[in-house]
Amino acid sequence: MSFLLRLALRNLVRNARRTVLSTSAIVVGVFYLVLGQAMVGGVEEGIVRSAEDGLTGHVLIRAADYPDEGLSHPVDVLLDLPEPARAVLQERARASVPRTLFVATLVAGADSLRLRGIGFDPVEDVKVFPRETWKVDGKVPATAEDGVLLGAGAAAMLGIGPGTRVVLQTRTHAGALNALEVPVSGIVSTGNIAIDQVSAYVPHALVAGLIADPRPSHFGVRLAHRDEAPAVAAALAPALGDGFEVVTWEEETRELLRMQKIRRRALDAFVGVLLLMSSFGIANTILMAAHERVREIGTLRAMGLSRRGVLALFLMEGGLMGVVSGLLGAGLGGAGAWWFSVHPLDLSEMGAKGMGGNIQFSTWLYARFDPAMLVAPVLISVAVALLASAWPARSASRMAPAEAVRAA
Amino acid sequence: MPICELRGVSRTYGSGPAKVHAVREIDLVIEAGEFTVFVGPSGSGKTTLLNMVGCLDQPSEGEVLIEGRPTAGLSDRALAHLRAERIGFIFQAFNLIPVLTAVENVELAVQLGGGGDGRARARQALAEVGLTGLEGRRPNQLSGGQQQRVAIARALVRKPALVIADEPTANLDSANGAQVLELMRELNEKHGTTFIFSTHDAMVMEHARRTVFLHDGRIARDEVRAAPAPRAGEGR
Ligand SMILES: Nc1ncnc2c1ncn2[C@@H]1O[C@H](COP(=O)(O)OP(=O)(O)O)[C@@H](O)[C@H]1O
Ligand SMILES: [Mg+2]
C-alpha cells in the first residue's frame, strides 16, 4: 500500500495549485469550525463562570418565587436556614455564605443611580465568590467602617472614585424608607457586566442597619466541583422545606446557554455548507485526475493492480487532501483558539452596554482551547474528502484496462 | 506445456449494425521461450489479440489458457494477480508513470507483485537494459529509446513467463527501434522469457523467429524460421 500512497502524494504535489485550490474550502471550513467552537465554548464558559463567581455560586438558596428577571430585589422575605439544611451544607459544601440583595438608590452630590446592593460578609464571602479577576481601585471594605465597594460602571456614571462620601437609600424589611451616608472604599471591575454596571458591595453590618434586619436574602454555596450541584441541591430541598428555593448554576444559566446553542447550530450550519461546497471541489478534482490519468490507470492495471487497488489509489488522493487540509485548518483554527484562550477579547467595547440588568456575562471573552477539540474537525475533513472522492474513484476503478492503456 | 493457448477466440466490439469483429475464431499456441511477432496492417486485430493473450481483455467467444489454466472464470483480483506474477507489458507509448523516476517505475512493478527488495532489483533491471546512472530521472528527462528501455526493465523485473509488447518500436526512430528489439532478443535468449510483440514494420519482423500474419482479425499465415534472423550489426 505504501507505493500507492507515494504515487498519490506525488500526483497531488505535481498538481499543487489545483490541490491547494480544491482543498482551500475545507481548510476554511475546518478553521471556522475549530475557532468557532472555541469561541462559543468560551462564551458559554464565561457565562457560567461569571454567574458562578459573581452571583449564584454553585448552588443558591433563596426565597420561593424569588423574581429572577430584571433589577428587583425585594427584602420582604429574609432567610433563617433550618438546622437540617445547615447539616447538609456542613457535610457537603466547601463553603456557604449569606448575601442580601436589595434595591438601593445611591446619591452622590446632585446625581443619583438606582442599583443593586449586594450585602456581603467582607471576610467570608470570598470563600464562595472568588475575587481573582477583580481589579480594585482603592480597597475592598474589610469592615463596616470602610464603606462600600462600587462597580466601576456605576462609579463612572456618577463620576466618583474611592473616598467619596455617598448616601445609600433603601426600604427596610418592614417597608420604611432608610438612608445611610457611607464612604466609597473602592471601585471594582469584576468582568461581570451585571455587577460592574449596576452593583455595590455593602458589608453586612451596614445592610443590617439599612433594612433593619440582620437576616440575609440568599445563601451562596460553593462545592468541591460544579458537577455536584444537582445532587447537593436535591439533598438541600427537603432539608429546607417550604418557602425556600434551591437553584444550581446550571438552572441559572440555562436561558443564556440556550441562546448559545442556537449560535452553535448556526456555526455548524455555516461550516456544513462550506464543507459541502468543498466536497464538490474535491470530487471534481479527483474526477479530473482520473480522466487525465486514464492511461496511467490502464498501465497500473496491466502491471497487476486490481480494481480495488485503483479505487484505493484515488481514495487516498482524496483522503490525503482531507488529511492535509484538515490538519492545516485545525492547526490555524487551533492556533487562533489558543491565542484567544490566553489573550481574551475585550467585549466591553463591543456594545456590551446594552446588556445590563441580571444578564451575567463576562466582558472578557476567553476562547476555550483544548487540543482534543481538534480531533473531530480533522476526522470530519477526512471523511468529507473520502466521501467526495468515492464516486470518482469508483468510476476510475471501473475503466476497462485494455482501452485505458491506449488512451492518449 | 504451452505458455499460452487460444482456443476459438473471437472478440467483437459494440452490437447491432455497428458490431465490429476485431478478432475471429483464432486458435493459437505459444510455447515457452518463443520470440513471436504479430504482423498485420492497422486494424487487423493485433492489439485486441495481444490484450487477450495478456489477460487485459476477455474474449467474446472461445477461451484463453495461461500455462494450461483457463482464465475465463477468474475474478478481477485473480486476473490482476496473474498479470502481476506471470505477464509483463511493453507499450507503444512507453506508458511510464510520469511522476515516478526511472527506478521508481521499475520498483513499482516489484511492489505491485508484492515482492520485497524492490529498489535493488529495480537498479539491477535498469543495469541490464544499460541505464545505469539514469535511475533518478523522470520520464520527461529521458529520450524515447531510454524510456522504452525503462519500460522493458519494468516488464522484466519480476521475471515473468510472458512479455507482451504492442508495437514497441512504433514511437522510436529506426536506430533506437533496432536497439530495443536487440535488447528484447537478448533477454529472450538469456532468461528464456517468452516474448510476443506486434508490428506493421517489415524490418522489425525480421527479428522474430515466428511470425503470425493477421488479416481482418484472422490468422493469414503462421511462419516459423528455422534459423534465427541475423543480428543487427552482424553483416547484411
Ligand atoms: N474499443 C473499440 N471499440 C470499437 N472498435 C474497436 C475498439 N478497439 C478496436 N476496435 C476495432 O477493432 C479492429 C481491430 O483493432 P486493433 O486490435 O486495434 O487492430 P491493430 O492493433 O491491428 O491496429 C479495428 O477495426 C478497430 O477499429
Ligand atoms: Mg494496435
Side-chain angles (χ1 to χ4, degrees):
Chain A
M1 275 328 222
S2 70
F3 61 91
L4 284 184
L5 195 61
R6 177 162 64 181
L7 199 52
L9 260 174
R10 288 278 175 86
N11 276 308
L12 288 177
V13 170
R14 183 173 66 157
N15 292 300
R17 258 170 60 117
R18 186 167 78 190
T19 308
V20 167
L21 277 177
S22 60
T23 52
S24 55
I26 281 207
V27 175
V28 173
V30 172
F31 171 81
Y32 274 117
L33 187 60
V34 170
L35 192 58
Q37 301 271 12
M39 287 309 191
V40 173
V43 169
E44 284 176 6
E45 184 60 27
I47 287 169
V48 170
R49 268 281 156 74
S50 55
E52 225 173 62
D53 291 354
L55 290 165
T56 70
H58 288 142
V59 173
L60 190 67
I61 300 169
R62 65 189 179 196
D65 304 323
Y66 193 85
D68 57 359
E69 269 172 28
L71 185 53
S72 68
H73 294 290
V75 288
D76 307 336
V77 186
L78 297 174
L79 308 179
D80 268 321
L81 281 191
E83 197 45 48
R86 285 182 196 282
V88 170
L89 289 175
Q90 187 73 32
E91 192 193 335
R92 309 197 56 173
R94 257 205 185 156
S96 64
V97 293
R99 274 189 161 188
T100 304
L101 300 188
F102 59 102
V103 181
T105 303
L106 189 132
V107 184
D111 297 322
S112 72
L113 186 68
R114 214 169 84 96
L115 47 67
R116 163 175 40 211
I118 302 173
F120 78 121
D121 180 329
V123 178
E124 296 290 312
D125 195 78
V126 70
K127 292 181 181 166
V128 175
F129 300 102
R131 299 170 185 171
E132 284 108 52
T133 61
W134 285 16
K135 293 189 188 86
V136 179
D137 181 14
K139 66 170 214 163
V140 178
T143 64
E145 283 72 46
D146 288 339
V148 300
L149 181 67
L150 190 58
M157 251 178 273
L158 293 167
I160 59 177
T164 315
R165 293 192 76 82
V166 295
V167 174
L168 268 179
Q169 294 178 344
T170 189
R171 227 163 37 83
T172 66
H173 176 48
L177 278 175
N178 200 359
L180 195 63
E181 196 192 45
V182 287
V184 173
S185 155
I187 307 295
V188 66
S189 291
T190 63
N192 183 333
I193 294 165
I195 294 173
D196 295 351
Q197 297 290 329
V198 294
S199 298
Y201 286 91
V202 186
H204 250 310
L206 294 178
V207 178
L210 266 172
I211 66 171
D213 197 310
R215 290 174 301 165
S217 65
H218 291 69
F219 282 88
V221 181
R222 180 151 293 256
L223 308 172
H225 196 278
R226 68 159 72 130
D227 293 349
E228 295 168 13
V232 174
L236 272 172
L240 285 162
D242 289 344
F244 292 89
E245 187 175 62
V246 191
V247 290
T248 63
W249 62 271
E250 220 173 349
E251 291 161 340
E252 280 292 277
T253 52
R254 187 169 291 155
E255 269 308 301
L256 281 168
L257 291 183
R258 208 166 59 196
M259 259 167 55
Q260 285 310 112
K261 283 211 181 80
I262 295 170
R263 214 164 276 178
R264 209 179 258 272
R265 261 189 222 128
L267 173 75
D268 288 347
F270 172 66
V271 168
V273 168
L274 267 178
L275 290 181
L276 189 68
M277 276 163 53
S278 61
S279 73
F280 287 119
I282 287 191
N284 190 45
T285 301
I286 298 297
L287 200 61
M288 267 161 73
H291 275 273
E292 282 166 7
R293 280 156 52 205
V294 171
R295 199 167 76 188
E296 176 181 316
I297 294 166
T299 308
L300 289 168
R301 296 288 308 274
M303 288 167 71
L305 189 65
S306 63
R307 268 188 201 155
R308 278 170 67 172
V310 175
L311 187 73
L313 173 65
F314 284 91
L315 281 180
M316 270 183 211
E317 290 191 20
L320 275 172
M321 297 207 292
V323 170
V324 172
S325 51
L327 288 177
L328 199 63
L332 292 173
W338 173 80
W339 173 265
F340 289 120
S341 75
V342 179
H343 308 273
L345 285 171
D346 186 357
L347 297 184
S348 62
E349 309 285 302
M350 308 182 192
K353 290 174 191 79
M355 302 183 180
N358 264 7
I359 294 178
Q360 296 155 6
F361 191 90
S362 172
T363 49
W364 293 105
L365 171 54
Y366 284 88
R368 196 180 68 84
F369 177 71
D370 173 3
M373 73 194 202
L374 304 178
V375 176
V378 174
L379 293 182
I380 288 173
S381 152
V382 175
V384 166
L386 282 178
L387 280 175
S389 353
W391 176 72
R394 200 181 109 97
S395 77
S397 75
R398 298 261 149 162
M399 289 176 187
E403 282 168 43
V405 290
R406 295 205 245 186
Chain B
M1 183 195 306
I3 286 280
C4 173
E5 189 174 349
L6 272 59
R7 293 184 186 155
V9 165
S10 297
R11 177 68 164 99
T12 57
Y13 294 108
S15 59
K19 193 164 175 173
V20 178
H21 290 265
V23 162
R24 302 164 199 254
E25 291 157 24
I26 288 202
D27 296 301
L28 186 70
V29 174
I30 310 278
E31 297 291 345
E34 276 190 25
F35 197 76
T36 297
V37 62
F38 290 173
V39 179
S42 188
S44 59
K46 304 183 292 295
T47 298
T48 303
L49 195 57
L50 283 175
N51 284 340
M52 289 187 291
V53 170
C55 299
L56 210 53
D57 193 11
Q58 311 287 301
S60 312
E61 267 168 60
E63 56 176 348
V64 177
L65 292 86
I66 299 294
E67 297 179 311
R69 281 191 300 270
T71 57
L74 294 182
S75 68
D76 172 72
R77 264 185 99 152
L79 284 171
H81 185 72
L82 178 67
R83 289 194 296 268
E85 290 288 322
R86 308 301 295 156
I87 304 170
F89 286 88
I90 296 165
F91 303 96
Q92 174 177 341
F94 323 135
N95 289 24
L96 298 180
I97 310 292
V99 293
L100 299 181
T101 62
V103 72
E104 285 168 345
N105 263 283
V106 181
E107 194 182 353
L108 181 61
V110 180
Q111 290 166 326
L112 277 170
D117 212 10
R119 186 52 66 106
R121 287 167 70 183
R123 285 182 177 282
Q124 154 109 45
L126 283 174
E128 239 183 313
V129 298
L131 288 179
T132 302
L134 301 181
E135 292 92 342
R137 296 230 186 144
R138 292 273 168 91
N140 62 5
Q141 299 166 319
L142 294 169
S143 72
Q146 289 167 337
Q147 286 188 57
Q148 197 61 304
R149 283 160 183 269
V150 175
I152 292 170
R154 181 175 73 177
L156 280 138
V157 67
R158 298 207 71 236
K159 311 229 177 300
L162 174 63
V163 172
I164 288 172
D166 190 12
E167 308 214 26
T169 60
N171 281 18
L172 300 175
D173 60 38
S174 58
N176 271 309
Q179 276 178 19
V180 158
L181 281 167
E182 188 61 26
L183 182 61
M184 287 174 23
R185 256 293 274 288
E186 234 176 80
L187 294 165
N188 163 255
E189 280 168 16
K190 188 166 157 197
H191 301 298
T193 311
T194 313
F195 276 81
I196 310 176
F197 63 104
S198 69
T199 187
H200 56 253
D201 180 344
M203 212 193 75
V204 170
M205 60 195 239
E206 285 175 23
H207 289 260
R209 224 168 285 147
R210 176 179 176 191
T211 308
V212 177
F213 293 89
L214 290 175
H215 192 79
D216 278 346
R218 293 181 201 280
I219 295 179
R221 220 161 70 226
D222 188 347
E223 284 179 2
V224 180
R225 228 182 279 238
R231 289 230 183 159
E234 280 180 11
R236 275 208 309 154

